[in-house]
Amino acid sequence: MNIRYASARAIFLSTALAAVPAMAEEAGGQAGSDGAAQAGNQIVVTAQKIEQRAQDVPITISALRGDRIEELGVGDLDELSNYIPGLNVQEQSANNPGIVIRGVTSDSGSAQQGPRVTLYYNGVDISRSRGSYQSIYDLDRVEVIKGPQATLFGTASAVGAISIVPARPEPGLSAELTGGYGNYDYTLLTGYLNAGSDQVAGRIAFEWKRRDGYVENLSASQEDELYALDNLGLRGSLRVRPGPDFTIDLVGTFDRQRNGGTPFISGNFPTEAGPADPFGPANLGGSPFSREVLGKDQLGLDREIYDLNLTAEYRFADDWAFTTVNGYREFDSLETFDADGSAAWFLEFAEIAEGWQFSHEGRFSYSGMDLRGSFGWNVFTEDGRQNVPFSSEEGIFLQCAAGVVPDIACVAPDGSVPAEQVTGLLTGGQVAQLPYQSVFENQGQNDSYSVFADATWIATRALELTAGVRLLWEDRQSGYFAEVAPSVLTGGPSLIPGQTDTNGRTFTAREDFFDVLPRFNALYRASPDLNFYATVSKGRRSAVVQLGATRDENGIAVPNYQLVPEEVVWNYELGAKLSRGPVSASLGAYYLDYSGFQVSVIQDDGTTRTESAGSASNLGIEAELAVQAAPWLSLFANGAYIDAKVDEDSALADAYSGARFRLQPKWQAAAGFTIDAPIGEGARFFATPSVTHRSRIYFELPNNPVTSQGSVTLLNARAGIAFARDRFEIAGFIRNATNEDYLLDAGNTGGAFGYPTFIPAEPRFYGIELTARLF
């Protein structure tokens, strides 16, 4: 997109990449949608429901507009997170994203557990992980809000929120179409069509993106390479303005994935290509169970998401407005994966996740001379399930897990599976194969009701004081059932110890909760260019009504119920923001104090349970700098230091004491520059090279060097030429230019059985894109 010289400084100041995190326009994108306004060299935003300069907002929000995201060559949230200090997004699968803000992750797929990080779309909480991740295209902006934000964003914002705000319909006729091609047969087709008047406008946008997998799969039963992509996103938007004070937005979205299998590569088992190598080929074939019972013979993800949003804003007086935000979302996914990372029919899983949610919010806002604020209510309900079928062959499982027959390898050095003989040996040749199956399902029906109020008092011209509170009522109901077959070879009630059949019953449990979530902010204007701010806020992750099954002394299946207490965090933050001439900078320090810190613990049967590790703490510093060196050149740099760990007196075990949080780098940084210069005859040259760095991260708690990734430095760039006064554009991009080998994840389900698996991150990707525009 073109960056006009008259507004270049404002645009760069509006991005976290260009240093100062511009305060996102409407917290959560819930009020209005026209994007942050610009006044001279200042960004005017409405993070606290009122128009303000970015540096006058005493909370940390990084906002990247859609055109800036395109300049960087970013196509997904995980790529975007490399440029925002304090944010890390791990996309192990579109069905299982790990979103980390200030060192704390939210990636549980259980329907019984609530998230820590809120993901907002069109102002509605879509945080349930299996239904949240979606394509980002034709955006107005993406906002990253750091620190607990329960007053402004709702119950899930224990450590922060990400808000995705699509571009809205505008008056006039405009269109854009982009086609791209790159290595691994990458193919892209995306664009939009906008038409309308001041009273009625509509917009249709889409993105189709596909790519071959970058991990070779040696299995003869699988057609696609691992991590192949086939994503389709469609969005239709309608804006109606019956009068100058009344705006209605209706947005419908469809998102679909048909992606290849996740490359869970074993760190122990070889393939016919050689010894185990996390960056080599894999041999993952799935199981007959998936083909016969699930009707899916290929590894990978089939997923659909449907979303409908209705937002209306009515300004009924000079200082008053009423806004209502309503959303319905439904998701349905089926993912099959080979969890042992080998050719053996050992640990084969699938996951069927589906659910729906409805949200309604009403809010009144007021803006006077010495007082401004808002108050309102929110109703949120969701119903979901996570069904996990497991499949194995009994002899192979016993040999690979316990070595029941001496001198027979699970997987031989040539990649063959000698363990296939074990069932025949143990049965004296009577049976050659004993397929084994079980199914586990957790269910969640969660309802929350809240009222909130937030007010800012302008005490003097230099001092503003803000206080807010949300009162929350929750009703959480969990369900669980399991179908577990007895083991023929062991004679036990199950093949895996600890698995318990519920005998056709679904166990249920229900609990109610209430909490008070406040925030306090102060802003002091030391000069027209320099502001200081302080924040104290409380965040909360919902208690877990955790349900499973066990056997009593008579061998009868009974509910295994555990109430995991809520996780509470208090955030204390000090910061400064400077905007003077061509230089913009920010510096912030924070301390997070946790009680009841929740962690996911993998059980011996491969399932995951939530446990309380007790207290934890998080100390961090974030700094950002931008320099508009010339009208055609801007420089940016940012960095973060995070020391987040479980306290020494862990309630779980010594192994957790002092352990760093999962997916949390201690150091994170990004730097680069953007050139946008005219070259004559209505043409311009643009380029944004950048470098990102992240220190070591651990993929599991407790920390294990084997399942960690050392520091990673990536070089990325996007450059090209626009001509015919921006009507046409040709651009090239490259990511991971040095082809760095590094891990996306490690450990996983296989690690629970002593065989951790490793997922390689993206290698070098490059390509070319052609764009045509109609203004």
Side-chain angles (χ1 to χ4, degrees), residues 241-247 315:
R241 282 180 165 156
D245 298 322
F246 190 22
T247 303
R315 298 188 177 275

Side-chain angles (χ1 to χ4, degrees), residues 37-227:
Q38 299 171 6
N41 293 333
Q42 301 295 336
I43 301 299
V44 178
V45 294
T46 53
Q48 300 184 114
K49 321 303 181 186
I50 188 71
E51 289 189 349
Q52 299 169 277
R53 297 186 310 163
Q55 72 181 73
D56 292 336
V57 183
I59 53 179
T60 306
I61 303 179
S62 301
L64 276 73
R65 297 185 65 86
D67 51 5
R68 182 58 168 168
I69 293 172
E70 289 183 13
E71 287 175 355
L72 290 160
V74 167
D76 291 294
L77 282 177
D78 59 337
E79 300 167 23
L80 186 64
S81 69
N82 291 326
Y83 296 94
I84 298 179
L87 176 67
N88 183 24
V89 178
Q90 178 209 59
E91 188 188 352
Q92 185 195 91
S93 161
N95 213 36
N96 186 27
I99 302 176
V100 186
I101 291 183
R102 288 183 169 173
V104 181
T105 184
S106 182
D107 61 353
S108 172
S110 171
Q112 299 176 2
Q113 188 174 44
R116 285 189 180 102
V117 178
T118 302
L119 191 64
Y120 265 68
Y121 180 65
N122 282 316
V124 174
D125 180 350
I126 60 167
S127 302
R128 179 63 58 203
S129 70
R130 293 333 189 228
S132 62
Y133 208 84
Q134 63 183 53
S135 301
I136 57 172
Y137 58 94
D138 192 37
L139 297 181
D140 180 79
R141 66 195 183 276
V142 174
E143 307 165 359
V144 181
I145 303 92
K146 303 167 190 175
Q149 302 293 336
T151 302
L152 297 174
F153 277 86
T155 61
S157 300
V159 294
I162 299 175
S163 179
I164 302 173
V165 184
R168 291 291 193 260
E170 300 173 341
L173 177 64
S174 62
E176 180 175 299
L177 183 65
T178 297
Y181 187 78
N183 61 334
Y184 294 94
D185 201 23
Y186 167 79
T187 306
L188 171 71
L189 188 63
T190 183
Y192 72 86
L193 173 64
N194 181 100
S197 65
D198 290 333
Q199 289 73 41
V200 181
R203 191 180 187 100
I204 298 174
F206 73 96
E207 180 185 74
W208 175 64
K209 180 166 55 178
R210 69 161 306 280
R211 186 198 69 205
D212 291 343
Y214 59 80
V215 177
E216 182 184 2
N217 192 356
L218 302 174
S219 173
S221 67
Q222 299 297 303
E223 298 175 1
D224 296 327
E225 305 299 344
L226 301 168
Y227 260 178

Side-chain angles (χ1 to χ4, degrees), residues 413-656:
D414 63 359
S416 63
V417 186
E420 293 175 345
Q421 314 167 39
V422 170
T423 295
L425 292 173
L426 294 179
T427 61
Q430 296 182 25
V431 180
Q433 193 178 74
L434 288 170
Y436 185 85
Q437 301 168 9
S438 62
V439 176
F440 308 88
E441 180 172 298
N442 62 74
Q443 306 163 355
Q445 167 67 55
N446 305 313
D447 303 307
S448 68
Y449 312 90
S450 61
V451 293
F452 57 89
D454 197 82
T456 298
W457 174 45
I458 297 90
T460 69
R461 294 183 63 182
L463 180 64
E464 294 185 5
L465 301 174
T466 300
V469 66
R470 182 179 293 261
L471 305 181
L472 170 70
W473 294 264
E474 273 193 313
D475 182 353
R476 303 186 68 85
Q477 178 174 305
S478 295
Y480 178 84
F481 82 83
E483 298 176 357
V484 180
S487 169
V488 174
L489 292 180
T490 67
S494 65
L495 182 63
I496 303 176
Q499 292 184 340
T500 301
D501 189 273
T502 60
N503 297 320
R505 293 178 293 167
T506 297
F507 299 139
T508 60
R510 180 177 178 179
E511 296 284 353
D512 297 322
F513 306 95
F514 172 76
D515 211 337
V516 179
L517 302 171
R519 78 155 179 152
F520 306 95
N521 299 84
L523 178 76
Y524 177 69
R525 297 182 177 88
S527 74
D529 301 323
L530 178 63
N531 288 346
F532 295 94
Y533 69 92
T535 297
V536 177
S537 57
K538 179 184 177 182
R540 172 188 183 274
R541 189 187 199 188
S542 299
V544 183
V545 181
Q546 189 161 242
L547 200 59
T550 188
R551 296 185 182 276
D552 63 14
E553 61 275 11
N554 299 315
I556 299 174
V558 295
N560 181 10
Y561 171 69
Q562 179 189 17
L563 177 61
V564 183
E566 65 181 8
E567 176 184 291
V568 175
V569 56
W570 281 94
N571 174 60
Y572 308 92
E573 186 167 354
L574 296 172
K577 301 177 183 180
L578 172 70
S579 179
R580 179 173 297 169
V583 178
S584 181
S586 70
L587 178 66
Y590 60 88
Y591 178 73
L592 298 171
D593 185 17
Y594 289 89
S595 59
F597 187 73
Q598 298 174 4
V599 298
S600 296
V601 181
I602 298 179
Q603 307 298 299
D604 292 339
D605 60 0
T607 61
T608 301
R609 286 180 64 85
T610 301
E611 303 284 351
S612 178
S615 60
S617 59
N618 186 347
L619 175 66
I621 299 173
E622 296 172 353
E624 301 178 277
L625 173 68
V627 179
Q628 190 71 47
W632 51 271
L633 174 65
S634 69
L635 315 175
F636 67 86
N638 59 55
Y641 168 81
I642 304 174
D643 184 18
K645 59 187 178 182
V646 178
D647 288 348
E648 297 294 338
D649 57 345
S650 171
L652 283 177
D654 290 341
Y656 286 84

Side-chain angles (χ1 to χ4, degrees), residues 735-751:
R735 301 197 300 269
N736 189 6
T738 60
N739 204 28
E740 181 89 3
D741 283 338
Y742 67 104
L743 295 173
L744 181 67
D745 203 359
N748 306 301
T749 303

